[in-house]
Structures are given as structure tokens and as C-alpha cells.
Amino acid sequence: MVSPHSASDNDNENGPGVSLVEIEPGVAVVMGDRPLEALGLPAEFDCEVSPFQLMPPGDIQNLADKISLATGGLNLAAQGVHGVVSARGLVRLAPETMKAMKSGLQPLTSGGKNLGVLVGKGGKIAHQIRWVPATGAAATNVLAALGSAAVTLALQSQLASVSKKLDKNLKETQSIAHTIYGDRWYDLMGLYKNAMRAFREAQDLGVVNQHTFSLVAADLSNLEGKRGSFRDNLRRHVAALNTDQKQQLDYIRENSNQILADVQAVLVAEETWRCFHLLRTAHISCDTTMDPALKEKQLAHMVEQVKREYAQSMDEVSRITLELERMCSLIAILPGKRSISFFGSNNTRNDGEVARMAATLAKTVSEMRNRVHAIPEKPEPKVKALRRNVPDDVLVLLQYLLPEDEPLLALAEATCYGEVFSGSDVYLGITLTQFFVADKDKMSQEGIIDKMYPLADVRYVRFQEQGSPMLEMFTKTDNLSLLFNWWAASGPKLADVRRIRDLFATVMNIPEEEYRDDSLFAEAHQAFAAAKTGMKELPRKSRHSAG
């Protein structure tokens, strides 16, 4: 792994022999004086170093020269004992490594580069490394020098890594999409396999000539139609899930198979589309008859379009797969195991099995995006106002019911009265930006939180301690009365309830747009003051005239 190194550059008399120069977050060009097989990059780099298979040798040396010039020669980073600066290939940082770097890894810097070491098996230092991250002045110089080549290289590295993950996922679960789509799935897979065949042929040749590119050129219009159709299907699922929790759960139970199939179809279509454009950019790069300035302009336009559209599509895929995983996991832990409709109303699967399939797909999408697959953690509220300890099954349910990435700050139980509740026993919870009120039975049996309110909607809080404590809350839309039973009337439990009150009192507010400025009060105050002044002056005038 890349580790901070506290020693000086002189620890290694020859200096670091390897440098990683990021061309975008997570994708780096490997520079060094050692051959690829001697680099020994560890597992944290996601996959082995891949050579520049779609670049002519002259372009590879030109790439190395540009990087060396843009980074000030990399000092000792890539020269080593032979004094040769070479671009060895591409490597992808694993998402766990990127996360560690973002969460506080601060390598020692030297000469504007981060200094670290490569750790081999058993923690033994293999050799030093310099890392030029995709931020700062050095990275800006590199990207400016490389132009469109930087994004083209990133596409090559990503496609090589992603295709392996996608192929593995398809082997495990493509029967879903095949059952749903039939011949349409075979057509889509034909386009995908043809694009991958052309890509691997180009890798072997080192260039994309007209013969290789012609393998996929005729497929584009067909691919664009399928790509648009499957993305529309996905957006319909997103719209259908933009409802209350009961409707969401019902929709997932009836349509989980269709969502799984549509996600897979979009993934295959997007990777096929991205592979096509990578081949096209490499084909243009290999065209020696084009004007260099025009070539650079066309390549810059293409790679920017691919990067933007692919990111947008994968954002949509990521949202729906994470939601599917969350909802299927919730269904699987609700009491009374249910079967989920699969491949039509006459075929069902155990809800736990569907939840595992959804989790596998969500993990695959995260890996394809080179991101850590975040699994919701069971919440641990800091403030608890409950008669007894927090039931573990309640926390497990909240693990999937709470907004993503929002900690549960407080949890209480009370009897609620108001427009929505009429004497219901409820759980009251506070997250970072919201609070919820959930009927105990409905949440435990059906996985439903009745009401979620933004904390910004809390207008006023009133607390009464006589007898059983009562917390009254006035929000933008509802008035709630929360009665805490006898167990909260004194001692530590009363202190817990007071803490709940304090949390709500901390956030209560009236937004500026709800304030009004009616002039009647000002006019009335002025008239009253004038009348009061006149009444005081009148007796003085009367006494003066009477004298």
C-alpha cells in the first residue's frame, strides 16, 4: 500500500524508482526505470499495471516526455540509477486506498510530490514511490500538457478493469435479464461482445486501424436506440419510487425482477457505448493524415462528451441499485417471511435471495465506479429516552429506514397526539437534518415510518413536567403532543427527556420568508403615543388659562 514515509530522500541512495502521476482521481500513469514485471504494485492498486496497448511507441515516449517536463523532471522519482524516464503503463487505485487518502492519509511531501513506500508481502518495504495526485499545480501542468490524451488514457484503464467486473457479474445473474428480455437481451449482448472483441484485438495490435474499427462502426445506431430505451426504463423506476414508503415497498415486491434486469441492461449498454467511443478516439489518434490541431480539438470534444454522459448514467444506476438493495434488505428482515414476485406473478423467490441479488448488483456497480460499496451501519443513538434498552430489532430496521449517511442522534418512545396520530405509541427519532415519528407496531411489522419532518420546520417547542412529562411541538405543517409515561417523571429518565427537548429547542426557528411586516402596529403605536402626549399636555393648558 502507499504509506507515509518519514525518512529523507537519502534513505535510498538511488532515490525512488517508481512514480505514480494521477491523470484523474484513481487512475495514474506509472513512471519508472524498472520493467512492469519488477514494479510489484500491491493489491491496493486494484489490478496489475496495464501497458499502453492503444498507443504507438512514439506516442508513449512523447507522453513520458510531457509528464516529465510538466512535473519538473520528477526529480529522482522516475529516473533511478539509469537516468531514464519511462512511462510504463496505467494503474487504477482501489477505492479503499482512495478513501484512506481522503480520510487523513498525509504522506510526507518532497519537491512538491508525495513521498511514500511500496509495501510488499509481510509488510516489507519493496521500494520507494512518489505520488503526484490529481490536484495541485503539478497535476494542472500534467493535464494541460496531455490534453485529451489524459482522458483517453483514463478511459482505457477504466474499460479494462470494468469489463472484468461486468463479465463476472453477468455470469452470475444474466439469467434474470435474459428471462425478462428474451431475444432483445441476446441482441444487446451481441453488441457488447463485438465491442469487446474489437477492443481486445486493438490491445493485441497496439493500434486501432480501420479494419478493427469497422467491426463496431455499423453498430452505433442500433446501440444508441437500445441504450436510450433501457435508460428510459430505469427512469420510470426512479419516478415510481418517488412516493411514500408503503408504495415503495409494494413496488419493489412486484417489480424487483424488472429493476434488476433493467439495471443490467443499462450497464451492458453503457459499457458497450463507452468501448465504442474509446475505439473511435484511439482510431482518430492513430490517423497520421489529420491536421494535429483539428485532431486534438475533435478528441477533446469526444472524450468530454463520453465522460459527462457516462457519469450521468452511472449516477442514475447507482441511485436505483442502492435503493433496491436497501428496500430488499428491509423486506427480508420484516417479520413473516414473504416471497417476492419474480418473472411474473406465477413465479416467486424468497425475499432473502432477492436481497442478496440486489446487494451483489449494488456492489458490482460500486466496483465499476471504483468506489467503496457502502453498507448501512446499525445506528447507535447518543441520546436515548426509553423505558428500557433500545430493542435491537428496532435499530436493525432503522438501519435501512433512515436517510443515507445520516447518523441517528436521538431515539425516544412516547404516546403521540395530533393531526396524524391519536394516542399512538410511537418512536421519536432525530437525525442530523430530520426527525421522525413512527407508530411502533407499523414500523416493526411493515417497515414504515409514518412521518419524516425536516428539522428546519420546527417552529416552537413547549415542555411541561407536571405529572408525566409532555413535549409539544409546532412544525410548519403539524402540531404534535408527545406524552412520556410515568417512567420519565423523575431521575435520569427525566433528564433524558429534557435532553430531547433541548435538541428540538436548539433547532426551532421561523424562517425569514414567514415573517411579516404589517404597518398597522406601527401606525397604532404612533397614534397611541400622540394621544397619550396630548392627554398629558391638555391639563397644563387648562390650568394656565384658568389662572
Side-chain angles (χ1 to χ4, degrees):
M1 60 177 293
V2 179
S3 303
H5 186 56
S6 58
S8 68
D9 291 359
N10 295 327
D11 283 38
N12 185 333
E13 61 182 6
N14 295 322
V18 177
S19 177
L20 299 182
V21 182
E22 278 194 304
I23 52 179
E24 70 172 43
V27 179
V29 176
V30 180
M31 306 284 289
D33 65 317
R34 296 177 175 87
L36 284 181
E37 59 271 14
L39 290 177
L41 293 181
E44 283 78 3
F45 291 97
D46 181 74
C47 60
E48 70 279 1
V49 178
S50 57
F52 301 111
Q53 295 168 309
L54 301 184
M55 294 182 70
D59 288 354
I60 296 175
Q61 187 56 51
N62 185 41
L63 171 76
D65 293 342
K66 285 182 177 180
I67 293 177
S68 180
L69 182 63
T71 55
L74 290 172
N75 295 332
L76 300 176
Q79 295 180 39
V81 293
H82 303 297
V84 178
V85 180
S86 300
R88 295 296 181 181
L90 294 167
V91 74
R92 232 181 153 201
L93 298 175
E96 291 78 11
T97 300
M98 294 177 63
K99 184 178 180 180
M101 290 175 176
K102 292 178 181 178
S103 63
L105 179 62
Q106 297 293 331
L108 178 70
T109 60
S110 175
K113 291 90 182 172
N114 293 330
L115 178 64
V117 296
L118 287 182
V119 181
K121 293 182 179 180
K124 182 180 179 181
I125 294 177
H127 43 259
Q128 293 184 30
I129 184 173
R130 284 187 190 274
W131 165 51
V132 181
T135 56
T140 301
N141 292 337
V142 170
L143 294 178
L146 296 183
S148 61
V151 184
T152 304
L153 288 171
L155 284 175
Q156 178 185 333
S157 174
Q158 291 164 359
L159 191 63
S161 176
V162 164
S163 62
K164 295 177 183 177
K165 296 180 174 67
L166 186 59
D167 288 344
K168 179 182 177 182
N169 174 261
L170 290 174
K171 288 178 182 178
E172 295 175 354
T173 57
Q174 66 176 320
S175 60
I176 304 169
H178 174 227
T179 303
I180 293 287
Y181 288 119
D183 289 343
R184 289 182 64 198
W185 178 252
Y186 281 128
D187 290 343
L188 178 61
M189 285 303 299
L191 296 174
Y192 172 73
K193 290 178 179 178
N194 193 41
M196 288 298 113
R197 186 182 302 114
F199 175 60
R200 293 180 181 116
E201 179 178 298
Q203 286 181 307
D204 292 338
L205 295 174
V207 296
V208 179
N209 57 33
Q210 182 58 37
H211 298 290
T212 301
F213 186 65
S214 64
L215 291 174
V216 297
D219 289 343
L220 182 59
S221 60
N222 188 13
L223 174 62
E224 289 283 12
K226 285 181 168 55
R227 178 172 173 253
S229 174
F230 290 128
R231 286 185 69 179
D232 285 345
N233 290 346
L234 207 62
R235 287 167 181 159
R236 279 192 286 272
H237 295 311
V238 172
L241 290 172
N242 190 25
T243 53
D244 61 48
Q245 283 186 313
K246 184 180 185 308
Q247 290 176 300
Q248 289 174 358
L249 288 168
D250 290 343
Y251 187 83
I252 291 294
R253 288 189 180 102
E254 293 300 320
N255 297 280
S256 59
N257 56 340
Q258 186 69 53
I259 297 173
L260 287 167
D262 288 336
V263 168
Q264 287 187 315
V266 169
L267 291 178
V268 173
E270 287 301 309
E271 291 312 313
T272 307
W273 179 82
R274 190 162 66 150
C275 182
F276 171 88
H277 283 285
L278 172 63
L279 291 169
R280 188 178 175 214
T281 56
H283 185 220
I284 294 172
S285 297
C286 295
D287 188 351
T288 58
T289 64
M290 283 188 70
D291 174 76
L294 180 61
K295 179 191 293 188
E296 177 64 25
K297 185 176 181 180
Q298 183 173 5
L299 287 172
H301 172 76
M302 285 177 56
V303 295
E304 179 59 34
Q305 178 192 18
V306 172
K307 186 176 180 180
R308 182 181 63 253
E309 289 193 28
Y310 182 79
Q312 181 186 43
S313 179
M314 291 303 287
D315 282 345
E316 295 171 354
V317 170
S318 184
R319 281 196 296 271
I320 192 70
T321 51
L322 289 175
E323 185 69 8
L324 181 67
E325 179 188 24
R326 186 176 69 87
M327 300 295 279
C328 287
S329 298
L330 176 62
I331 291 171
I333 62 175
L334 289 174
K337 291 291 185 180
R338 301 178 178 87
S339 294
I340 296 180
S341 177
F342 223 75
F343 305 147
S345 58
N346 295 325
N347 197 334
T348 61
R349 289 200 182 188
N350 180 274
D351 48 14
E353 183 182 357
V354 178
R356 286 190 294 273
M357 295 172 70
T360 298
L361 190 57
K363 186 174 184 291
T364 299
V365 172
S366 295
E367 289 177 345
M368 290 173 65
R369 306 191 78 195
N370 209 32
R371 298 183 181 181
V372 176
H373 179 229
I375 302 173
E377 296 182 357
K378 188 168 66 173
E380 291 293 339
K382 301 293 184 183
V383 179
K384 297 179 279 287
L386 304 113
R387 182 178 178 183
R388 298 184 179 88
N389 292 332
V390 185
D392 190 68
D393 60 338
V394 170
L395 295 178
V396 172
L397 284 170
L398 290 174
Q399 179 177 350
Y400 300 105
L401 287 171
L402 292 180
E404 187 180 355
D405 296 331
E406 282 207 23
L408 180 62
L409 304 180
L411 184 67
E413 55 186 0
T415 302
C416 187
Y417 301 89
E419 290 91 338
V420 179
F421 304 91
S422 54
S424 304
D425 290 334
V426 300
Y427 287 114
L428 169 69
I430 305 173
T431 73
L432 202 57
T433 64
Q434 302 180 78
F435 78 92
F436 66 83
V437 183
D439 183 284
K440 282 185 174 183
D441 291 336
K442 193 180 292 186
M443 190 176 88
S444 298
Q445 298 297 320
E446 302 176 41
I448 293 173
I449 289 179
D450 297 273
K451 291 285 288 186
M452 295 283 293
Y453 300 87
L455 289 177
D457 283 0
V458 177
R459 295 294 178 262
Y460 185 69
V461 176
R462 183 166 56 209
F463 188 63
Q464 301 177 25
E465 292 189 16
Q466 294 81 8
S468 296
M470 176 175 283
L471 177 67
E472 294 182 277
M473 279 197 299
F474 303 88
T475 74
K476 181 179 179 180
T477 57
D478 298 329
N479 299 334
L480 302 170
S481 296
L482 294 150
L483 179 65
F484 298 89
N485 217 317
W486 57 267
W487 53 264
S490 61
K493 298 294 186 182
L494 177 59
D496 293 335
V497 174
R498 286 173 177 165
R499 186 78 185 278
I500 298 291
R501 171 206 60 190
D502 292 344
L503 288 171
F504 281 115
T506 300
V507 299
M508 65 182 181
N509 76 101
I510 300 178
E512 186 176 347
E513 62 269 17
E514 292 186 17
Y515 278 100
R516 297 295 180 266
D517 187 12
D518 195 303
S519 62
L520 179 59
F521 282 109
E523 294 168 358
H525 277 297
Q526 290 174 359
F528 179 74
K532 190 173 182 181
T533 301
M535 290 174 64
K536 289 180 179 178
E537 293 178 351
L538 184 60
R540 289 199 297 270
K541 292 179 182 178
S542 299
R543 288 195 296 271
H544 177 73
S545 59

PDB file of all heavy atoms in Angstrom, residues 338-361:
ATOM      1  N   ARG A 338     -41.845 -13.232   3.421  1.00  0.00           N
ATOM      2  CA  ARG A 338     -42.696 -13.155   2.234  1.00  0.00           C
ATOM      3  C   ARG A 338     -41.898 -13.580   1.014  1.00  0.00           C
ATOM      4  O   ARG A 338     -40.682 -13.483   0.985  1.00  0.00           O
ATOM      5  CB  ARG A 338     -43.198 -11.724   2.027  1.00  0.00           C
ATOM      6  CG  ARG A 338     -44.010 -11.168   3.187  1.00  0.00           C
ATOM      7  CD  ARG A 338     -44.410  -9.731   2.866  1.00  0.00           C
ATOM      8  NE  ARG A 338     -45.233  -9.141   3.908  1.00  0.00           N
ATOM      9  CZ  ARG A 338     -44.754  -8.522   4.970  1.00  0.00           C
ATOM     10  NH1 ARG A 338     -43.450  -8.417   5.138  1.00  0.00           N
ATOM     11  NH2 ARG A 338     -45.549  -7.999   5.878  1.00  0.00           N
ATOM     12  N   SER A 339     -42.595 -13.999  -0.003  1.00  0.00           N
ATOM     13  CA  SER A 339     -41.966 -14.258  -1.292  1.00  0.00           C
ATOM     14  C   SER A 339     -42.191 -13.054  -2.183  1.00  0.00           C
ATOM     15  O   SER A 339     -43.245 -12.416  -2.134  1.00  0.00           O
ATOM     16  CB  SER A 339     -42.555 -15.515  -1.950  1.00  0.00           C
ATOM     17  OG  SER A 339     -42.219 -16.655  -1.179  1.00  0.00           O
ATOM     18  N   ILE A 340     -41.190 -12.744  -2.997  1.00  0.00           N
ATOM     19  CA  ILE A 340     -41.276 -11.605  -3.895  1.00  0.00           C
ATOM     20  C   ILE A 340     -41.572 -12.105  -5.296  1.00  0.00           C
ATOM     21  O   ILE A 340     -40.975 -13.077  -5.775  1.00  0.00           O
ATOM     22  CB  ILE A 340     -39.959 -10.801  -3.882  1.00  0.00           C
ATOM     23  CG1 ILE A 340     -39.740 -10.197  -2.482  1.00  0.00           C
ATOM     24  CG2 ILE A 340     -39.956  -9.709  -4.927  1.00  0.00           C
ATOM     25  CD1 ILE A 340     -38.462  -9.388  -2.365  1.00  0.00           C
ATOM     26  N   SER A 341     -42.504 -11.435  -5.956  1.00  0.00           N
ATOM     27  CA  SER A 341     -42.862 -11.800  -7.321  1.00  0.00           C
ATOM     28  C   SER A 341     -41.624 -11.744  -8.215  1.00  0.00           C
ATOM     29  O   SER A 341     -40.892 -10.764  -8.215  1.00  0.00           O
ATOM     30  CB  SER A 341     -43.931 -10.844  -7.854  1.00  0.00           C
ATOM     31  OG  SER A 341     -44.234 -11.137  -9.195  1.00  0.00           O
ATOM     32  N   PHE A 342     -41.408 -12.829  -8.975  1.00  0.00           N
ATOM     33  CA  PHE A 342     -40.220 -12.892  -9.813  1.00  0.00           C
ATOM     34  C   PHE A 342     -40.560 -13.579 -11.119  1.00  0.00           C
ATOM     35  O   PHE A 342     -41.147 -14.665 -11.133  1.00  0.00           O
ATOM     36  CB  PHE A 342     -39.112 -13.668  -9.073  1.00  0.00           C
ATOM     37  CG  PHE A 342     -37.765 -13.027  -9.196  1.00  0.00           C
ATOM     38  CD1 PHE A 342     -37.462 -11.888  -8.470  1.00  0.00           C
ATOM     39  CD2 PHE A 342     -36.808 -13.558 -10.029  1.00  0.00           C
ATOM     40  CE1 PHE A 342     -36.214 -11.294  -8.577  1.00  0.00           C
ATOM     41  CE2 PHE A 342     -35.559 -12.972 -10.135  1.00  0.00           C
ATOM     42  CZ  PHE A 342     -35.264 -11.833  -9.409  1.00  0.00           C
ATOM     43  N   PHE A 343     -40.216 -12.923 -12.224  1.00  0.00           N
ATOM     44  CA  PHE A 343     -40.509 -13.439 -13.554  1.00  0.00           C
ATOM     45  C   PHE A 343     -42.015 -13.655 -13.747  1.00  0.00           C
ATOM     46  O   PHE A 343     -42.452 -14.612 -14.340  1.00  0.00           O
ATOM     47  CB  PHE A 343     -39.773 -14.760 -13.819  1.00  0.00           C
ATOM     48  CG  PHE A 343     -38.297 -14.691 -13.618  1.00  0.00           C
ATOM     49  CD1 PHE A 343     -37.593 -15.782 -13.150  1.00  0.00           C
ATOM     50  CD2 PHE A 343     -37.602 -13.533 -13.899  1.00  0.00           C
ATOM     51  CE1 PHE A 343     -36.221 -15.717 -12.980  1.00  0.00           C
ATOM     52  CE2 PHE A 343     -36.234 -13.461 -13.729  1.00  0.00           C
ATOM     53  CZ  PHE A 343     -35.542 -14.564 -13.272  1.00  0.00           C
ATOM     54  N   GLY A 344     -42.818 -12.726 -13.225  1.00  0.00           N
ATOM     55  CA  GLY A 344     -44.253 -12.849 -13.391  1.00  0.00           C
ATOM     56  C   GLY A 344     -44.931 -13.319 -12.123  1.00  0.00           C
ATOM     57  O   GLY A 344     -44.305 -13.822 -11.206  1.00  0.00           O
ATOM     58  N   SER A 345     -46.227 -13.176 -12.057  1.00  0.00           N
ATOM     59  CA  SER A 345     -46.988 -13.432 -10.843  1.00  0.00           C
ATOM     60  C   SER A 345     -46.984 -14.899 -10.438  1.00  0.00           C
ATOM     61  O   SER A 345     -47.247 -15.226  -9.285  1.00  0.00           O
ATOM     62  CB  SER A 345     -48.439 -12.963 -11.041  1.00  0.00           C
ATOM     63  OG  SER A 345     -49.014 -13.632 -12.155  1.00  0.00           O
ATOM     64  N   ASN A 346     -46.699 -15.814 -11.366  1.00  0.00           N
ATOM     65  CA  ASN A 346     -46.733 -17.235 -11.034  1.00  0.00           C
ATOM     66  C   ASN A 346     -45.378 -17.775 -10.579  1.00  0.00           C
ATOM     67  O   ASN A 346     -45.232 -18.969 -10.341  1.00  0.00           O
ATOM     68  CB  ASN A 346     -47.215 -18.042 -12.258  1.00  0.00           C
ATOM     69  CG  ASN A 346     -48.648 -17.710 -12.619  1.00  0.00           C
ATOM     70  OD1 ASN A 346     -49.464 -17.442 -11.733  1.00  0.00           O
ATOM     71  ND2 ASN A 346     -48.955 -17.722 -13.907  1.00  0.00           N
ATOM     72  N   ASN A 347     -44.390 -16.918 -10.482  1.00  0.00           N
ATOM     73  CA  ASN A 347     -43.055 -17.354 -10.090  1.00  0.00           C
ATOM     74  C   ASN A 347     -42.542 -16.420  -9.005  1.00  0.00           C
ATOM     75  O   ASN A 347     -42.576 -15.204  -9.161  1.00  0.00           O
ATOM     76  CB  ASN A 347     -42.125 -17.311 -11.309  1.00  0.00           C
ATOM     77  CG  ASN A 347     -40.867 -18.139 -11.083  1.00  0.00           C
ATOM     78  OD1 ASN A 347     -40.441 -18.342  -9.952  1.00  0.00           O
ATOM     79  ND2 ASN A 347     -40.273 -18.603 -12.172  1.00  0.00           N
ATOM     80  N   THR A 348     -42.108 -16.967  -7.904  1.00  0.00           N
ATOM     81  CA  THR A 348     -41.634 -16.147  -6.796  1.00  0.00           C
ATOM     82  C   THR A 348     -40.291 -16.662  -6.295  1.00  0.00           C
ATOM     83  O   THR A 348     -39.901 -17.794  -6.566  1.00  0.00           O
ATOM     84  CB  THR A 348     -42.628 -16.160  -5.620  1.00  0.00           C
ATOM     85  OG1 THR A 348     -42.764 -17.498  -5.147  1.00  0.00           O
ATOM     86  CG2 THR A 348     -43.978 -15.612  -6.042  1.00  0.00           C
ATOM     87  N   ARG A 349     -39.598 -15.775  -5.566  1.00  0.00           N
ATOM     88  CA  ARG A 349     -38.349 -16.169  -4.911  1.00  0.00           C
ATOM     89  C   ARG A 349     -38.374 -15.666  -3.473  1.00  0.00           C
ATOM     90  O   ARG A 349     -39.030 -14.667  -3.165  1.00  0.00           O
ATOM     91  CB  ARG A 349     -37.143 -15.574  -5.645  1.00  0.00           C
ATOM     92  CG  ARG A 349     -36.884 -16.205  -7.008  1.00  0.00           C
ATOM     93  CD  ARG A 349     -35.471 -15.966  -7.477  1.00  0.00           C
ATOM     94  NE  ARG A 349     -35.251 -16.538  -8.791  1.00  0.00           N
ATOM     95  CZ  ARG A 349     -34.070 -16.621  -9.383  1.00  0.00           C
ATOM     96  NH1 ARG A 349     -32.996 -16.164  -8.774  1.00  0.00           N
ATOM     97  NH2 ARG A 349     -33.944 -17.144 -10.577  1.00  0.00           N
ATOM     98  N   ASN A 350     -37.638 -16.354  -2.636  1.00  0.00           N
ATOM     99  CA  ASN A 350     -37.531 -15.952  -1.247  1.00  0.00           C
ATOM    100  C   ASN A 350     -36.970 -14.545  -1.168  1.00  0.00           C
ATOM    101  O   ASN A 350     -36.044 -14.190  -1.891  1.00  0.00           O
ATOM    102  CB  ASN A 350     -36.618 -16.939  -0.511  1.00  0.00           C
ATOM    103  CG  ASN A 350     -36.454 -16.576   0.946  1.00  0.00           C
ATOM    104  OD1 ASN A 350     -35.584 -15.778   1.285  1.00  0.00           O
ATOM    105  ND2 ASN A 350     -37.287 -17.151   1.783  1.00  0.00           N
ATOM    106  N   ASP A 351     -37.538 -13.705  -0.249  1.00  0.00           N
ATOM    107  CA  ASP A 351     -37.117 -12.321  -0.173  1.00  0.00           C
ATOM    108  C   ASP A 351     -35.640 -12.185   0.202  1.00  0.00           C
ATOM    109  O   ASP A 351     -34.953 -11.253  -0.230  1.00  0.00           O
ATOM    110  CB  ASP A 351     -38.002 -11.523   0.795  1.00  0.00           C
ATOM    111  CG  ASP A 351     -38.207 -12.238   2.123  1.00  0.00           C
ATOM    112  OD1 ASP A 351     -37.477 -13.205   2.399  1.00  0.00           O
ATOM    113  OD2 ASP A 351     -39.102 -11.824   2.881  1.00  0.00           O
ATOM    114  N   GLY A 352     -35.116 -13.139   0.979  1.00  0.00           N
ATOM    115  CA  GLY A 352     -33.696 -13.097   1.321  1.00  0.00           C
ATOM    116  C   GLY A 352     -32.818 -13.313   0.094  1.00  0.00           C
ATOM    117  O   GLY A 352     -31.764 -12.679  -0.053  1.00  0.00           O
ATOM    118  N   GLU A 353     -33.247 -14.188  -0.801  1.00  0.00           N
ATOM    119  CA  GLU A 353     -32.481 -14.443  -2.021  1.00  0.00           C
ATOM    120  C   GLU A 353     -32.469 -13.218  -2.923  1.00  0.00           C
ATOM    121  O   GLU A 353     -31.430 -12.847  -3.490  1.00  0.00           O
ATOM    122  CB  GLU A 353     -33.092 -15.636  -2.773  1.00  0.00           C
ATOM    123  CG  GLU A 353     -32.321 -16.027  -4.027  1.00  0.00           C
ATOM    124  CD  GLU A 353     -32.984 -17.176  -4.772  1.00  0.00           C
ATOM    125  OE1 GLU A 353     -34.009 -17.701  -4.281  1.00  0.00           O
ATOM    126  OE2 GLU A 353     -32.473 -17.540  -5.853  1.00  0.00           O
ATOM    127  N   VAL A 354     -33.619 -12.560  -3.055  1.00  0.00           N
ATOM    128  CA  VAL A 354     -33.687 -11.344  -3.862  1.00  0.00           C
ATOM    129  C   VAL A 354     -32.816 -10.246  -3.251  1.00  0.00           C
ATOM    130  O   VAL A 354     -32.140  -9.500  -3.965  1.00  0.00           O
ATOM    131  CB  VAL A 354     -35.145 -10.860  -3.995  1.00  0.00           C
ATOM    132  CG1 VAL A 354     -35.209  -9.559  -4.789  1.00  0.00           C
ATOM    133  CG2 VAL A 354     -36.004 -11.932  -4.672  1.00  0.00           C
ATOM    134  N   ALA A 355     -32.808 -10.151  -1.920  1.00  0.00           N
ATOM    135  CA  ALA A 355     -31.970  -9.149  -1.249  1.00  0.00           C
ATOM    136  C   ALA A 355     -30.501  -9.398  -1.545  1.00  0.00           C
ATOM    137  O   ALA A 355     -29.731  -8.449  -1.771  1.00  0.00           O
ATOM    138  CB  ALA A 355     -32.221  -9.175   0.259  1.00  0.00           C
ATOM    139  N   ARG A 356     -30.077 -10.662  -1.567  1.00  0.00           N
ATOM    140  CA  ARG A 356     -28.674 -10.974  -1.884  1.00  0.00           C
ATOM    141  C   ARG A 356     -28.339 -10.607  -3.326  1.00  0.00           C
ATOM    142  O   ARG A 356     -27.246 -10.100  -3.624  1.00  0.00           O
ATOM    143  CB  ARG A 356     -28.399 -12.452  -1.633  1.00  0.00           C
ATOM    144  CG  ARG A 356     -28.307 -12.830  -0.154  1.00  0.00           C
ATOM    145  CD  ARG A 356     -27.787 -14.238   0.030  1.00  0.00           C
ATOM    146  NE  ARG A 356     -28.713 -15.235  -0.494  1.00  0.00           N
ATOM    147  CZ  ARG A 356     -29.718 -15.757   0.199  1.00  0.00           C
ATOM    148  NH1 ARG A 356     -29.948 -15.368   1.447  1.00  0.00           N
ATOM    149  NH2 ARG A 356     -30.504 -16.676  -0.331  1.00  0.00           N
ATOM    150  N   MET A 357     -29.279 -10.843  -4.242  1.00  0.00           N
ATOM    151  CA  MET A 357     -29.047 -10.484  -5.642  1.00  0.00           C
ATOM    152  C   MET A 357     -28.937  -8.973  -5.796  1.00  0.00           C
ATOM    153  O   MET A 357     -28.073  -8.471  -6.529  1.00  0.00           O
ATOM    154  CB  MET A 357     -30.192 -11.036  -6.500  1.00  0.00           C
ATOM    155  CG  MET A 357     -30.259 -12.547  -6.539  1.00  0.00           C
ATOM    156  SD  MET A 357     -31.753 -13.172  -7.366  1.00  0.00           S
ATOM    157  CE  MET A 357     -31.388 -12.723  -9.048  1.00  0.00           C
ATOM    158  N   ALA A 358     -29.793  -8.245  -5.093  1.00  0.00           N
ATOM    159  CA  ALA A 358     -29.746  -6.790  -5.160  1.00  0.00           C
ATOM    160  C   ALA A 358     -28.430  -6.266  -4.584  1.00  0.00           C
ATOM    161  O   ALA A 358     -27.831  -5.327  -5.125  1.00  0.00           O
ATOM    162  CB  ALA A 358     -30.935  -6.187  -4.401  1.00  0.00           C
ATOM    163  N   ALA A 359     -27.965  -6.877  -3.484  1.00  0.00           N
ATOM    164  CA  ALA A 359     -26.705  -6.455  -2.867  1.00  0.00           C
ATOM    165  C   ALA A 359     -25.526  -6.738  -3.792  1.00  0.00           C
ATOM    166  O   ALA A 359     -24.597  -5.925  -3.904  1.00  0.00           O
ATOM    167  CB  ALA A 359     -26.519  -7.152  -1.527  1.00  0.00           C
ATOM    168  N   THR A 360     -25.561  -7.888  -4.469  1.00  0.00           N
ATOM    169  CA  THR A 360     -24.484  -8.230  -5.411  1.00  0.00           C
ATOM    170  C   THR A 360     -24.409  -7.223  -6.540  1.00  0.00           C
ATOM    171  O   THR A 360     -23.321  -6.770  -6.930  1.00  0.00           O
ATOM    172  CB  THR A 360     -24.707  -9.642  -5.988  1.00  0.00           C
ATOM    173  OG1 THR A 360     -24.663 -10.596  -4.932  1.00  0.00           O
ATOM    174  CG2 THR A 360     -23.656  -9.983  -7.037  1.00  0.00           C
ATOM    175  N   LEU A 361     -25.567  -6.842  -7.067  1.00  0.00           N
ATOM    176  CA  LEU A 361     -25.600  -5.884  -8.163  1.00  0.00           C
ATOM    177  C   LEU A 361     -25.130  -4.509  -7.705  1.00  0.00           C
ATOM    178  O   LEU A 361     -24.365  -3.830  -8.408  1.00  0.00           O
ATOM    179  CB  LEU A 361     -27.012  -5.804  -8.750  1.00  0.00           C
ATOM    180  CG  LEU A 361     -27.156  -5.027 -10.061  1.00  0.00           C
ATOM    181  CD1 LEU A 361     -26.247  -5.608 -11.140  1.00  0.00           C
ATOM    182  CD2 LEU A 361     -28.612  -5.033 -10.525  1.00  0.00           C
TER     183      LEU A 361
END
